[in-house]
Amino acid sequence: MPLPRAPHRALLLCVAAATLAACSASGSGSADRSPGAAGAVRSGTASPSAAADSPRSVVTFAGATPLGADAARRTADRMRARAKALGLQDVRVETRDGGVDVTGRTADEKRLTGLGTSGRLGFRAVLAEATVGAAPTPTPSSSSDPARGRAVTDGLLPRAAGSASASAGPAPAEGGAQDAALQARYAALGCSAQERAATERKARAEDSVVACGTDGGGSGSRTKFILGPTAVDGAHVASAKAVLGRQTGGWLVRLRFDSVGAREFAALTGGLSVNTPPQNQMAIVLDGAVISAPSVNQQLGGGTAEISGSFTRESAERLAVTLGSGALPAPVTVTGVTRLPHG
């Protein structure tokens, strides 16, 4: 399912009490992560009830290797929750041969395939960025700013959970080798479709990684990044809701963190706020791709964030449901679509 790629400064962050109140006014309520309400969507979004004689399709999902019984069951449960939250009618989700079959109206085929989006969300510090085909940002060894070089190098090292700022002390000896290897992958990264898929599969939460994003505005330009380890995991998103922004007039996806996520988010933004660009940017990473990388100029302790961009009502709701339900237990892909005989 294609996801909207928001411009870099497309994250609206609710911080002070007055700001939080204003944000709350743009939409009410919050999503429940329970299976019955995987992500909050507006009332009345359900598509018309499927008639008994509507054409139907079966979308088959499978993992890189056959899913175990428990993983298949939990994947099917999460897909059912997503279908319900999206208002999809007359959808049947079944486990079969180490995979999952989803049966629904042929008219909903695109949304049925979207139920298999992995939904791995994470917030990482940006260590370097460049437009593909342009000169990369300076490496630590060539930077004229020693503090900036140290921030990049230290950012490649694992951080304690909830700790966003880089260590002020010198990096261990192995940091140089890690930095050089990552810089080499970054320099070679062209963000082709094949490379983007590979980086999404290999991105681990505890590692610094290279990743790709797409700038908004219809320019088609692509941006590549070096990102630090995941500082806030999507598992700590308590709710996600699609709302119409009061100030922007556009559709937003509002996130609310649980208590652990709120602490980690405050630590991340506090550490980034004292850095110089681009190390003051926070990457919002969905399934290994950067969907937004806003700058941070102060610690954000409200426990709430809003993602904005080129969303339609439908695409904002799809993203909210995906994030609100949590990631699938194991990545799956569509291996086949069968349209059942009709009439």
Side-chain angles (χ1 to χ4, degrees):
M1 176 185 73
L3 289 173
R5 299 295 192 243
H8 286 324
R9 290 171 300 279
L11 182 76
L12 306 180
L13 299 166
C14 306
V15 288
T19 307
L20 284 169
C23 289
S24 298
S26 64
S28 61
S30 61
D32 185 350
R33 288 180 74 94
S34 66
V41 296
R42 58 186 167 84
S43 60
T45 60
S47 53
S49 179
D53 60 350
S54 296
R56 295 176 67 75
S57 296
V58 180
V59 181
T60 299
F61 297 90
T65 58
L67 301 179
D70 182 62
R73 177 187 58 77
R74 290 186 294 122
T75 298
D77 287 345
R78 194 141 294 175
M79 288 184 176
R80 289 188 193 99
R82 291 178 177 182
K84 182 176 181 179
L86 285 170
L88 294 173
Q89 299 292 320
D90 198 19
V91 173
R92 187 172 69 252
V93 182
E94 303 172 297
T95 60
R96 189 186 309 275
D97 300 327
V100 178
D101 285 349
V102 178
T103 305
R105 298 193 313 160
T106 298
D108 293 327
E109 206 169 90
K110 182 178 179 180
R111 294 203 287 174
L112 296 176
T113 60
L115 298 177
T117 300
S118 179
R120 292 182 302 118
L121 178 71
F123 295 77
R124 296 172 179 259
V126 172
L127 306 180
E129 71 166 339
T131 301
V132 174
T137 51
T139 63
S141 60
S142 62
S143 173
S144 59
D145 182 348
R148 177 173 175 175
R150 185 171 64 251
V152 173
T153 302
D154 291 349
L156 304 181
L157 304 176
R159 297 190 183 103
S163 176
S165 58
S167 169
E174 65 268 25
Q178 293 173 349
D179 186 19
L182 202 61
Q183 288 281 358
R185 293 200 300 273
Y186 174 61
L189 185 62
C191 288
S192 65
Q194 294 81 3
E195 287 176 307
R196 290 198 301 273
T199 58
E200 290 177 19
R201 288 194 301 269
K202 295 177 181 178
R204 300 195 308 169
E206 63 269 27
D207 294 340
S208 294
V209 297
V210 295
C212 298
T214 301
D215 291 340
S219 65
S221 60
R222 291 166 297 179
T223 306
K224 60 183 179 180
F225 300 86
I226 300 179
L227 306 176
T230 298
V232 187
D233 191 272
H236 296 300
V237 172
S239 67
K241 183 179 178 66
V243 298
L244 189 61
R246 185 176 182 178
Q247 296 180 346
T248 65
W251 283 94
L252 314 168
V253 177
R254 177 178 298 149
L255 306 178
R256 180 175 59 81
F257 298 107
D258 62 18
S259 58
V260 173
R263 288 195 301 270
E264 293 179 344
F265 190 69
L268 171 64
T269 55
L272 295 178
S273 66
V274 300
N275 292 341
T276 56
Q279 284 98 28
N280 67 338
Q281 292 175 219
M282 172 179 58
I284 304 170
V285 187
L286 181 64
D287 292 335
V290 178
I291 62 173
S292 184
S295 299
V296 179
N297 58 18
Q298 62 179 305
Q299 185 178 54
L300 306 174
T304 304
E306 292 179 347
I307 305 174
S308 69
S310 303
F311 288 122
T312 63
R313 188 175 191 166
E314 181 180 355
S315 64
E317 288 175 352
R318 284 201 308 266
L319 181 57
V321 166
T322 298
L323 300 182
S325 68
L328 296 181
V332 295
T333 57
V334 175
T335 58
V337 177
T338 303
R339 293 182 176 173
L340 302 178
H342 175 58

